[in-house]
Every structure is written in structure tokens, then in C-alpha cells.
């Protein structure tokens, strides 16, 4: 099973955290964009839609930390094998 090679607070010489951050932004900002551009304005007025969008933009990246590290570890391991 793939796992992130570095522990929290260590240096990142191989780019594990940079890749995990990229995966995190892909996973968390797609729902935020969909909410802010399509779903929110169709369901709510401006301010409630904006408040929910900002809350999602703060909460989702934190919630996706572990998931993005696991996905990046698998992608990184796969890239090193080829």
C-alpha cells in the first residue's frame, strides 16, 4: 500500500506535499466552483450563497487533507514504477 513518505512538519525534498496540495485543490475547489456558479445562485440569494461558498472553501480543503495525501501517494508510487 502506498503511503506518504514524510511526516507532518518534515521537509519535502521529493514533492509529496506539493502534489498532495494540488490534488487537494482539485478535489475541494470543484464542488466550491459548482456551488458558487451554478447551484447556489439557483437555490439561494446572493449573500447566503456567498457565505456557504466561503465556508466550503475553508472547510473542504481541511476535510480533504488525508484523502489527497493518499491519492498523491498512489499516483507518485505509480509514476516511480513506470
Amino acid at each position: 500500500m502506498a503511503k506518504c513518505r514524510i511526516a507532518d512538519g518534515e521537509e519535502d525534498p521529493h514533492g509529496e506535499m506539493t502534489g498532495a496540495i494540488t490534488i487537494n485543490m482539485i478535489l475541494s475547489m470543484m464542488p466550491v466552483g459548482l456551488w458558487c456558479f451554478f447551484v447556489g445562485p439557483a437555490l439561494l440569494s446572493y449573500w447566503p450563497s456567498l457565505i456557504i461558498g466561503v465556508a466550503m472553501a475553508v472547510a473542504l480543503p481541511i476535510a480533504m487533507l488525508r484523502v489527497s495525501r493518499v491519492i498523491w501517494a498512489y499516483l507518485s508510487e505509480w509514476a516511480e514504477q513506470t
Side-chain angles (χ1 to χ4, degrees):
M1 179 175 172
K3 98 179 206 8
C4 191
R5 295 181 193 166
I6 62 169
D8 290 335
E10 288 185 1
E11 286 187 31
D12 185 19
H14 302 291
E16 282 95 355
M17 287 307 300
T18 305
I21 291 168
T22 303
I23 297 295
N24 191 347
M25 288 297 109
I26 291 169
L27 291 175
S28 61
M29 289 303 134
M30 283 196 305
V32 172
L34 289 173
W35 172 262
C36 289
F37 288 112
F38 301 111
V39 178
L43 297 177
L44 303 170
S45 64
Y46 176 75
W47 286 108
S49 178
L50 180 66
I51 290 169
I52 292 171
V54 169
M56 287 173 63
V58 171
L60 284 178
I62 295 168
M64 298 285 188
L65 279 175
R66 295 282 181 208
V67 174
S68 63
R69 282 184 176 180
V70 169
I71 291 172
W72 180 251
Y74 279 116
L75 289 174
S76 180
E77 183 178 302
W78 175 78
E80 287 178 1
Q81 290 175 355
T82 58

